[in-house]
Amino acid sequence: MKKIPILLVFLLLFSSVSTVTYAKEDSLTALKAQITSLQKQVKELTTKVKSYSSDNSKLKNDLKKTKKDNARLTDQLKKAKKDNARLTDQLKDVTSQLDKETKSNITAENVYKKMIALKEQYPEGMRWTNDNYYEWKGGIYSAGYGCAGFAFILSDKAFGSLPARNHKNFDNIQVGDIIRINNNTHSVVILSIDEATVTLAEGNYNSSIHWGRVLTLKQLKDAGDYIMTRYPK
């Protein structure tokens, strides 16, 4: 059996120890690198957490402010509703009072005065045809051309925004009533009523404004189709 030289044994042992040492140093270096990486990640996470905490705090403050603003707006809305209800009641009272005053002023004399006052603006003989148009406040019809348009002008001047209604009782004709005559082809307005006659105002009479045509009550009844009146019931 051959003997292994002592020097060779020593060299083999030294080589093994060095290999182990180098392996440990490489592992330690890798571990340090991992620790450094983890520390860096921890710092980044800590920064993010601080940022999230700051944002969360800001959001909480914003939420508190929003709630306060919402409460304030809710109070303002409640107040506005109360004010609106109060103003609505006041408007109803004023409207009711105006209606009472308007109805009390609806007399044949006042109606005549208001209509005849337009004679200066719409003089006798002024050209007036179906090209002339007027939007009516009395309801039933929204507007009229020609004779109807002129009748509606006088009616609104006398009655304002009071609603109109139709009837066919020619024994109950009043000053300011609009009469449709001649097979519902022409509109005239009653200016005045005597015992046996009526005096009319009309537009598109021979293509012009005409004040003062007189018909007997019989002629009016024979020619009449229906009556539009705005006197309150």
Side-chain angles (χ1 to χ4, degrees):
M1 182 176 179
K2 291 183 179 181
K3 293 182 179 180
I4 300 174
I6 295 175
L7 181 59
L8 180 58
V9 173
F10 177 77
L11 288 174
L12 289 171
L13 290 172
F14 179 76
S15 176
S16 299
V17 171
S18 297
T19 300
V20 172
T21 301
Y22 291 147
K24 287 183 177 179
E25 288 179 353
D26 290 342
S27 298
L28 183 59
T29 300
L31 184 59
K32 286 182 178 179
Q34 290 179 0
I35 291 173
T36 301
S37 176
L38 288 172
Q39 287 176 338
K40 184 178 179 180
Q41 291 179 19
V42 168
K43 285 183 179 180
E44 290 177 352
L45 288 172
T46 301
T47 301
K48 287 183 179 180
V49 168
K50 288 181 179 179
S51 176
Y52 292 152
S53 296
S54 177
D55 291 343
N56 185 56
S57 178
K58 183 176 180 300
L59 288 173
K60 285 182 178 179
N61 290 333
D62 290 344
L63 181 59
K64 287 181 181 178
K65 184 177 181 300
T66 300
K67 286 181 177 179
K68 287 182 179 179
D69 291 342
N70 184 61
R72 176 174 53 81
L73 291 173
T74 300
D75 290 340
Q76 290 179 351
L77 180 60
K78 288 180 180 179
K79 184 177 182 300
K81 286 182 177 179
K82 288 181 179 179
D83 290 342
N84 183 63
R86 177 174 53 81
L87 291 173
T88 300
D89 290 340
Q90 290 178 353
L91 180 60
K92 287 180 180 178
D93 291 341
V94 171
T95 302
S96 176
Q97 183 62 31
L98 286 175
D99 285 344
K100 289 179 181 178
E101 292 177 0
T102 299
K103 289 177 181 179
S104 66
N105 288 327
I106 302 300
T107 63
E109 182 180 0
N110 287 338
V111 168
Y112 172 80
K113 287 180 179 178
K114 288 179 180 180
M115 291 191 299
I116 204 67
L118 289 176
K119 192 173 182 178
E120 184 176 349
Q121 185 177 352
Y122 300 93
E124 175 70 26
M126 174 180 171
R127 181 169 176 77
W128 194 272
T129 69
N130 282 332
D131 291 332
N132 296 99
Y133 171 85
Y134 179 78
E135 294 183 358
W136 195 31
K137 299 176 183 176
I140 302 178
Y141 305 106
S142 60
Y145 291 88
C147 58
F150 182 66
F152 292 162
I153 289 172
L154 298 186
S155 180
D156 279 353
K157 182 66 176 179
F159 298 98
S161 59
L162 286 175
R165 65 184 187 280
N166 292 340
H167 70 86
K168 293 187 177 182
N169 183 3
F170 284 86
D171 292 323
N172 188 28
I173 298 170
Q174 301 180 82
V175 174
D177 285 351
I178 299 171
I179 316 295
R180 287 292 288 180
I181 63 173
N182 300 341
N183 294 317
N184 199 20
T185 61
H186 188 56
S187 295
V188 298
V189 179
I190 304 296
L191 274 180
S192 63
I193 303 172
D194 295 324
E195 289 184 4
T197 63
V198 293
T199 303
L200 309 177
E202 52 201 315
N204 201 17
Y205 180 82
N206 295 327
S207 301
S208 63
I209 300 293
H210 184 44
W211 300 83
R213 182 158 68 110
V214 176
L215 296 178
T216 65
L217 289 174
K218 183 178 184 309
Q219 288 174 323
L220 184 65
K221 288 180 181 180
D222 289 343
D225 295 289
Y226 63 90
I227 303 159
M228 286 180 277
T229 188
R230 294 172 76 176
Y231 283 89
K233 289 184 178 180

